[in-house]
Amino acid sequence: EATNLPSEGDRTDVRLAAIRALGNYEKDQAATKALVGVLRTEKDLAVRGRAHESLVKITGQDLPPEGQAWADWLDKKGKH
């Protein structure tokens, strides 16, 4: 019995496309938080790399691709 469920590769492609799309929301707090969340929890290196690229693009910051560094930056930014 065949199913129409997406393969693991298809799911990754969709996730990468979504993360890339978030990179179009420059200075958007919700997009930034979502991308930091991906960077903090994701294990897939391609997904993490795309999240980092999008964060750099929308924030203008050049922090390392480490979730905690971005979370700290986001926390400090919110307190100004």
Side-chain angles (χ1 to χ4, degrees):
E1 179 176 316
T3 64
N4 289 329
L5 294 175
S7 71
E8 190 63 37
D10 290 341
R11 282 194 289 270
T12 299
D13 289 347
V14 169
R15 293 175 73 208
L16 289 171
I19 290 167
R20 182 184 299 125
L22 285 174
N24 294 320
Y25 292 90
E26 190 172 332
K27 295 183 173 71
D28 184 283
Q29 188 77 3
T32 302
K33 284 182 179 180
L35 290 165
V36 169
V38 169
L39 204 52
R40 291 188 74 181
T41 61
E42 182 58 49
K43 296 192 183 351
D44 184 294
L45 291 178
V47 174
R48 288 174 54 81
R50 184 64 48 77
H52 180 249
E53 289 173 12
S54 290
L55 277 167
V56 170
K57 181 179 177 184
I58 67 173
T59 66
Q61 300 298 307
D62 191 18
L63 299 174
E66 299 163 3
Q68 192 58 53
W70 284 95
D72 292 345
W73 172 81
L74 195 56
D75 189 46
K76 286 179 189 159
K77 183 177 179 277
K79 291 183 178 169
H80 289 329

